[in-house]
Amino acid sequence: MVRFEEISDKLQKGKAKDVALLVQQAVDEGVPAAEILEKGLLAGMDEVGRKFRDNEIFVPEVLVAARAMNKGAALLKPLLFAEGAKANGKVCIGTVKGDLHDIGKNLVKMMMEGKGLEVVDLGTDVAPDTFVQTAVEQECSVICCSALLTTTMEQMAEVVKAAEKAGIRDKVKIMVGGAPVSKEFADRIGADAYTPDAASAAEKAAEFCS
Ligand code: B1M
């Protein structure tokens, strides 16, 4: 029987192969993909975050844990795709300028694709104008911004301003998220939506595209 603590433990140690094996084992046992993600992989990343904050581990350990997280999540991707109704539409997503964190952004992307949305992934350290230009050129209905640092979340306000300046603010929805972001912050900068996690972000984007 699958033990979520074991997945979390191997992830924290950066044992990507073991994480993949355990995730596959859980899948084979019929455990829902969303549960494996939540109780195994994300629980492990939470613990990595705590240890990083408390200086128990440092950047190299966090990076190998992140690699293990991505490996496990990749296995769950087709299953998350299979769950739920499909939507139509195109969005672009990126982590804002100055910010290199992409695990949460990748999960949001994965869940959005799972909903049937076409997702243009701009990667990390994305300038406000790049979000806006992409939305125009690729006819995206939604711009999705992720930020993990309190110092970079203000870049989201710049994305809103850039959309206004380009004259597309009424044609595109702007969604924001990431650990330091809140509904109050989203309201303050004039974004259209804040969602706390990847699943609710996918729901909201699908709603905006419908
Ligand atoms: Co960084 N880091 N990091 N880090 N890192 C944090 C964010 C931090 C909280 C750690 C800590 O001190 N406890 C802290 C920020 C403090 C602050 O701003 N107040 C921090 C710091 C300080 C830094 C550096 C400055 C460290 C340094 O160099 N001294 C540096 C900055 C680099 C930069 O970006 N310029 C740095 C570097 C790194 C690594 C490169 C080592 C690595 C990133 C690897 C990678 O992403 N490829 C890393 C990591 C992994 C973390 C922690 C440990 C984990 C983040 C993560 O992936 N969580 C993190 C501590 C923590 O969060 N507990 C930390 C799992 C992920 C699934 O969650 O991204 O929140 P999250 O996504 C969630 C939701 O937020 C939401 O959905 C996701 C899943 O449901 N969501 C959205 C995300 N985007 C969304 C968008 C939406 C909607 C929902 O709509 C569009």
Side-chain angles (χ1 to χ4, degrees), residues 2-153:
V2 66
R3 287 184 301 276
F4 295 117
E5 305 78 52
E6 209 178 333
I7 296 179
S8 161
D9 182 59
K10 296 290 184 193
L11 183 145
Q12 289 169 52
K13 292 182 175 136
K15 305 270 183 205
K17 274 188 192 159
D18 292 346
V19 168
L21 275 172
L22 289 164
V23 166
Q24 190 57 54
Q25 190 184 326
V27 168
D28 294 344
E29 285 171 14
V31 182
E35 200 175 338
I36 304 171
L37 181 65
E38 198 65 40
K39 296 185 181 167
L41 300 177
L42 289 179
M45 268 329 275
D46 273 354
E47 197 49 23
V48 169
R50 187 198 60 74
K51 289 179 181 167
F52 188 38
R53 186 195 61 221
D54 296 344
N55 292 323
E56 288 173 31
I57 58 171
F58 301 94
V59 170
E61 289 100 317
V62 178
L63 281 175
V64 285
R67 202 158 48 220
M69 163 86 203
N70 285 334
K71 190 141 190 179
L75 280 170
L76 297 176
K77 188 173 175 178
L79 299 160
L80 292 165
F81 266 45
E83 290 164 10
K86 298 285 174 217
N88 274 318
K90 193 169 183 182
V91 311
C92 59
I93 190 167
T95 307
V96 297
K97 193 171 173 196
D99 200 324
L100 302 174
H101 296 85
D102 68 357
I103 299 172
K105 186 263 298 169
N106 292 342
L107 277 179
V108 173
K109 176 189 174 192
M110 192 189 288
M111 298 300 270
M112 286 181 174
E113 287 178 339
K115 275 262 160 213
L117 298 170
E118 190 179 339
V119 184
V120 181
D121 187 353
L122 299 169
T124 59
D125 191 19
V126 181
D129 284 341
T130 306
F131 280 107
V132 172
Q133 264 171 30
T134 306
V136 172
E137 287 165 15
Q138 306 231 26
E139 299 181 345
C140 300
S141 309
V142 189
I143 291 175
C144 304
C145 307
S146 179
L148 261 286
L149 299 172
T150 45
T151 47
T152 59
M153 62 195 271

